[in-house]
Amino acid sequence: MMYKKHLITCSVIVVLFVMSKLFIYSTTLKKTVAKAEPKGDNDVTVADVSEASNELNFANEAVPMKDPKVAVKLKHSLKEHSFKKLQTNLLHFRAAKLFKVIEPILKVYGIPDDFKYIPVVESSLEQGVSPRGAKGLWQFMPGTARTYGLKVNSSKDERLNLKKSTVAACIYLRELYDEFHNWTLVAAAYNTGSIKLAKQMRVQKKRNYFRMHLNHETGRYIYDLVAVKQIITKPNDYGYKYTDPDYIAFN
């Protein structure tokens, strides 16, 4: 009798053990499947393109060229920045000189190298003033410039100081990254402002720049940055001929 009771107890333990294993397996499988679900429009699109160097990207975040709308917009930006449209290599000459100053500062602050193209799009690497009062290569407004440590007054305007304004831009960009956690969105926020971009993200319930509807300037901003990157790194592909950058003086 005791033997039978012992046998029944052992059988119950074995059954419970098998059931627990099946439960754990089922739970693990569900988690695995959930993690494998593709990202939707509401997700930030971040793709490592280190193994696909020919893929168009900004700050190592891939441009979704399989999307027809994205492909058309980028094609338009590339056309607008081609030699056929601009008829000058001046942008390449300026970049050859000024990037030598900008690149190491970006590196020190942990900002992706592609952000050196922001001054190209913002100011064509010229120390001009916009109709709204933005000035310098990074096109800082007076208030924003002061917030990030630049002196702007009647006797001094450090927005025109390349090194100091680049440091200020880096501090601002790091702050934007802490908010958006995505470099493409950081670049968009640099153009339109973090408050405006965050509002549009809430209203549209999207966190993917390429799926959002933004104002005309911000809506084409990343495309222009990628286009400028392409024409500067691969000039021959867009009609530009190689010329020694030292040929032109930048005084």
Side-chain angles (χ1 to χ4, degrees):
M1 189 69 176
M2 291 296 293
Y3 174 77
K4 288 183 177 180
K5 287 184 178 179
H6 181 69
L7 183 61
I8 292 170
T9 302
C10 290
S11 299
V12 171
I13 292 173
V14 170
V15 170
L16 289 174
F17 176 78
V18 171
M19 289 179 68
S20 67
K21 286 293 184 180
L22 288 172
F23 176 77
I24 292 171
Y25 174 76
S26 176
T27 304
T28 304
L29 180 61
K30 287 180 180 178
K31 287 183 179 179
T32 304
V33 172
K35 287 182 179 179
E37 290 179 356
K39 288 180 176 293
D41 282 355
N42 293 334
D43 297 312
V44 173
T45 299
V46 181
D48 183 2
V49 296
S50 58
E51 294 183 2
S53 58
N54 291 327
E55 187 172 2
L56 292 174
N57 70 89
F58 176 76
N60 208 38
E61 295 172 5
V63 178
M65 292 298 291
K66 291 183 180 180
D67 184 326
K69 292 182 180 179
V70 171
V72 168
K73 288 181 180 179
L74 185 57
K75 184 178 179 180
H76 174 74
S77 287
L78 286 169
K79 182 179 179 181
E80 289 297 301
H81 290 87
S82 68
F83 182 79
K84 187 175 181 180
K85 181 75 173 181
L86 300 181
Q87 295 291 314
T88 177
N89 279 67
L90 191 57
L91 206 58
H92 292 80
F93 300 143
R94 290 173 181 159
K97 177 187 178 182
L98 300 176
F99 283 178
K100 292 178 182 178
V101 178
I102 295 172
E103 288 170 349
I105 298 175
L106 292 175
K107 187 174 182 180
V108 167
Y109 283 86
I111 307 297
D113 189 68
D114 282 356
F115 277 82
K116 67 189 178 188
Y117 299 111
I118 280 185
V120 181
V121 173
E122 288 283 344
S123 64
S124 296
L125 295 176
E126 294 185 276
Q127 300 281 23
V129 183
S130 76
R132 292 182 296 176
K135 182 183 285 189
L137 266 64
W138 291 93
Q139 288 290 282
F140 274 116
M141 294 293 287
T144 306
R146 295 188 186 99
T147 298
Y148 293 96
L150 298 178
K151 293 180 180 178
V152 181
N153 52 50
S154 57
S155 60
K156 195 169 190 178
D157 194 336
E158 292 185 335
R159 290 179 294 175
L160 301 176
N161 184 304
L162 178 57
K163 289 183 178 179
K164 289 184 177 181
S165 64
T166 301
V167 168
C170 287
I171 295 171
Y172 181 34
L173 291 168
R174 288 299 329 176
E175 187 177 287
L176 289 173
Y177 187 79
D178 288 342
E179 179 177 356
F180 296 103
H181 307 290
N182 171 267
W183 289 115
T184 302
L185 291 175
V186 166
Y190 188 92
N191 176 255
T192 193
S194 61
I195 295 175
K196 289 182 180 179
L197 182 63
K199 179 181 178 181
Q200 287 303 314
M201 289 168 66
R202 288 194 302 271
V203 171
Q204 299 181 38
K205 296 180 180 180
K206 295 182 185 296
R207 288 180 51 77
N208 184 329
Y209 170 85
F210 297 103
R211 300 291 180 267
M212 295 177 68
H213 297 285
L214 302 167
N215 67 71
H216 179 71
E217 183 179 328
T218 308
R220 60 176 287 177
Y221 197 67
I222 303 301
Y223 298 97
D224 285 345
L225 288 172
V226 174
V228 165
K229 174 183 176 180
Q230 288 299 108
I231 68 108
I232 288 179
T233 57
K234 300 178 180 179
N236 294 336
D237 292 351
Y238 303 97
Y240 293 91
K241 304 299 181 184
Y242 176 78
T243 306
D244 186 352
D246 295 328
Y247 179 74
I248 289 184
F250 296 88
N251 297 322

